[in-house]
């Protein structure tokens, strides 16, 4: 049963043969949904926080209620709705009925190779949430160590989903110059960076300032302190916080389900389970080129219009020259090359 502020995250699986299929609104795959089911935004504030096969749990007038789908739509609730979805409700006697889905503004999805299938072409799309307006890429100064490549991949996914990113460096009580230097790269890309410590209580108010008015989500590796941050925001020990295993220095997967918290009127935050890796190999090389914003001023000066800034010679590639001169950060360039190699199936 749902409790006040939680929902289950769930998976939608889909075979993807063409890359562009990924960008489709996931609802279009559900053929049994009548066209008039999806309507434009109205001012109703009924938000889905948890979905199951038969029903959905909805935050409505500061209460959590259970509602069923209107008659005639024979699709399981968890094949239609995502946490964060807005809906139109109808009250029939003592039952709530979901009449309509309000058109989604954003949809956050993560793509990964489906390890249960043999074919290489089969990918699984994991839908995480709908209508997210801000994503907090959460990293730790140490334990687990700060890996900028993870940030780079998340930035690509968020830009593609049209969701504003901020970076939260948690465990800043463990911070050294090294981490500061890594984050300077993202400061220069004009991404807001917040430093927090749930141990010394630094930065929490600043984080709240950024979150206010948003339907936000915390994403990041396991053990970086996402649930701890939410505990601070909620000022109550509501989430399970586990210890980083000393052996592996990797966080244990303490959070197993995404959870939806409303911490202030019109301000919500979703806690998500930590993840180990992010697949961006379904993007095209052109898309990846565009997502590395700092290449923009240089790439037009490359000799070849379709320069991939990869196997071209340094003489012909201005991006490579800018990397050599230290104008473009070397780690970001290496991160780019790894993604490109991944897409070209070279590694
Ligand atoms: N030094 C330090 N440790 C922290 C801080 N915040 C959290 N931790 C510790 O980091 C460990 C992991 O914290 P969690 O909040 O469970 O991390 P999480 O990101 O939710 O992890 P998953 O749920 O597995 O994704 C716990 O042992 C916390 O006590 C901090 O600001 N400084
Ligand atoms: Mg957690
Ligand atoms: Zn080039």
């Amino acid at each position: 049963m749902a409790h006040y502020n939680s929902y289950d995250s769930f998976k939608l699986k889909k075979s993807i043969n063409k890359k562009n299929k990924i960008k489709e609104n996931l609802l279009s795959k559900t053929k049994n949904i009548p066209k008039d089911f999806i309507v434009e935004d109205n001012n109703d504030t009924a938000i889905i926080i948890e979905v199951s096969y038969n029903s959905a749990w909805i935050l409505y007038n500061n209460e959590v209620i259970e509602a069923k789908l209107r008659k005639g739509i024979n699709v399981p609730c968890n094949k239609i709705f995502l946490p964060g979805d807005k809906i139109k409700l109808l009250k029939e006697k003592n039952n709530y009925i979901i009449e309509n889905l309000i058109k989604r503004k954003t949809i956050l999805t993560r793509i990964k190779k489906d390890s249960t299938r043999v074919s290489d072409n089969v990918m699984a799309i994991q839908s995480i949430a709908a209508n997210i307006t801000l994503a907090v890429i959460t990293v730790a100064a140490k334990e687990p160590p700060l890996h900028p490549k993870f940030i780079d991949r998340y930035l690509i996914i968020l830009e593609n989903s049209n969701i504003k990113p901020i970076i939260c460096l948690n465990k800043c009580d463990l911070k050294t110059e090294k981490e500061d230097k890594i984050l300077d790269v993202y400061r220069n890309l004009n991404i807001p960076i917040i430093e927090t410590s749930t141990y010394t209580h630094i930065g929490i108010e600043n984080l709240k300032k950024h979150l206010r008015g948003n339907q936000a989500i915390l994403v990041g590796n396991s053990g970086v302190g996402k649930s701890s941050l939410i505990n601070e925001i909620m000022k109550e020990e509501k989430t399970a916080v586990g210890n980083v295993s000393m052996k592996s220095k990797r966080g244990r997967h303490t959070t197993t389900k995404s959870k939806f918290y409303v911490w202030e009127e019109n301000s919500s935050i979703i806690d998500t389970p930590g993840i180990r890796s992010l697949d961006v190999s379904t993007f095209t090389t052109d898309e990846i080129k565009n997502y590395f914003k700092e290449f923009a001023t240089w790439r037009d000066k490359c000799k070849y219009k379709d320069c991939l800034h990869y196997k071209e010679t340094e003489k012909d590639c201005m991006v490579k020259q800018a990397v050599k001169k230290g104008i473009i950060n070397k780690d970001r360039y290496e991160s780019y090359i790894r993604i490109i190699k991944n897409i070209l199936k070279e590694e």
Side-chain angles (χ1 to χ4, degrees):
M1 230 258 305
H3 72 83
Y4 168 56
N5 43 21
S6 80
Y7 69 78
D8 291 338
S9 63
F10 65 95
K11 289 175 181 177
L12 275 179
K13 293 197 168 180
K14 187 177 182 181
S15 293
I16 299 153
N17 299 318
K18 286 180 194 154
K19 288 176 178 175
N20 59 9
K21 274 197 177 173
I22 293 164
K23 286 173 209 145
E24 284 173 17
N25 186 327
L26 295 182
L27 267 189
S28 60
K29 80 191 212 67
T30 318
K31 291 188 186 77
N32 297 335
I33 297 175
K35 277 215 171 73
D36 69 350
F37 183 67
I38 302 169
V39 296
E40 293 295 324
D41 203 355
N42 62 0
N43 289 325
D44 285 13
T45 45
I47 299 174
I48 304 244
I49 59 170
E50 177 172 342
V51 276
S52 66
Y53 191 88
N54 284 317
S55 64
W57 292 87
I58 289 149
L59 186 65
Y60 182 59
N61 290 338
N62 291 324
E63 267 179 69
V64 177
I65 53 128
E66 191 183 8
K68 290 204 171 8
L69 202 49
R70 81 179 193 212
K71 284 205 177 68
I73 304 178
N74 297 318
V75 183
C77 273
N78 57 7
K79 285 273 181 281
I80 300 182
F81 300 114
L82 285 174
D85 263 331
K86 289 179 170 182
I87 49 143
K88 242 176 139 170
L89 275 180
L90 193 82
K91 200 169 180 188
E92 262 178 18
K93 289 174 200 156
N94 282 327
N95 298 320
Y96 284 102
I97 310 287
I98 302 170
E99 275 291 298
N100 297 95
L101 173 69
I102 313 287
K103 210 166 157 185
R104 289 169 177 156
K105 291 213 168 72
T106 62
I107 175 162
L108 179 60
T109 53
R110 177 162 106 78
I111 302 136
K112 54 181 183 179
K113 294 231 161 65
D114 188 346
S115 55
T116 60
R117 308 278 189 108
V118 186
S119 162
D120 223 22
N121 281 335
V122 179
M123 300 286 201
I125 293 183
Q126 184 182 9
S127 299
I128 302 166
N131 300 319
I132 297 296
T133 54
L134 181 84
V136 184
I137 303 173
T138 314
V139 292
K142 296 227 158 50
E143 300 172 22
L146 176 55
H147 288 304
K149 286 182 176 68
F150 180 83
I151 300 177
D152 296 333
R153 284 163 187 247
Y154 243 114
L155 288 175
I156 290 168
I157 287 173
L158 294 172
E159 168 121 7
N160 184 255
S161 309
N162 236 337
I163 297 169
K164 187 176 148 41
I166 63 171
I167 296 171
C168 176
L169 178 76
N170 190 39
K171 307 197 188 184
C172 72
D173 48 290
L174 305 174
K175 191 183 79 163
T176 59
E177 247 174 57
K178 189 180 148 210
E179 286 81 28
D180 255 337
K181 237 176 145 184
I182 290 176
L183 289 179
D184 275 345
V185 176
Y186 302 96
R187 267 189 205 104
N188 291 337
L189 290 170
N190 291 325
I191 297 163
I193 295 169
I194 300 158
E195 294 185 8
T196 56
S197 169
T198 66
Y199 283 15
T200 61
H201 311 285
I202 283 173
I204 307 298
E205 283 310 312
N206 192 18
L207 177 61
K208 278 162 109 174
K209 220 168 75 191
H210 279 84
L211 297 176
R212 192 157 279 135
N214 281 297
Q215 185 154 304
I217 193 162
L218 285 183
V219 293
N221 284 335
S222 186
V224 295
K226 299 179 294 298
S227 302
S228 308
L229 284 166
I230 290 193
N231 281 343
E232 285 288 305
I233 291 165
M234 301 299 288
K235 285 266 175 10
E236 286 168 48
E237 294 282 320
K238 275 186 179 162
T239 49
V241 178
N243 289 313
V244 171
S245 128
M246 290 310 286
K247 254 190 201 159
S248 66
K249 294 271 179 200
R250 277 187 156 172
R252 272 194 283 149
H253 281 252
T254 49
T255 306
T256 52
K257 279 177 179 179
S258 293
K259 284 187 177 174
F260 194 111
Y261 295 86
V262 179
W263 60 277
E264 211 178 77
E265 207 180 338
N266 294 322
S267 305
S268 59
I269 184 132
I270 296 174
D271 189 12
T272 62
I275 52 166
R276 289 258 155 91
S277 64
L278 267 180
D279 195 318
V280 288
S281 66
T282 48
F283 288 94
T284 65
T285 53
D286 274 348
E287 284 170 323
I288 299 297
K289 274 202 284 190
N290 283 329
Y291 291 152
F292 280 76
K293 299 256 182 272
E294 66 269 53
F295 294 2
T297 40
W298 307 98
R299 65 177 174 220
D300 294 340
K301 299 183 188 107
C302 293
K303 184 169 177 187
Y304 306 105
K305 229 179 132 199
D306 60 350
C307 184
L308 199 55
H309 328 305
Y310 174 33
K311 286 184 177 163
E312 294 82 0
T313 62
E314 204 177 284
K315 185 166 72 58
D316 294 338
C317 177
M318 291 304 286
V319 169
K320 277 189 169 179
Q321 287 182 27
V323 175
K324 196 171 185 193
K325 285 180 195 149
I327 304 168
I328 290 176
N329 179 268
K330 202 164 155 268
D331 289 337
R332 282 274 291 173
Y333 176 71
E334 276 172 11
S335 190
Y336 165 80
I337 290 299
R338 271 188 53 180
I339 295 167
I340 295 293
K341 279 184 175 172
N342 203 216
I343 292 171
L344 300 176
K345 297 208 174 358
E346 291 183 0
E347 71 174 24

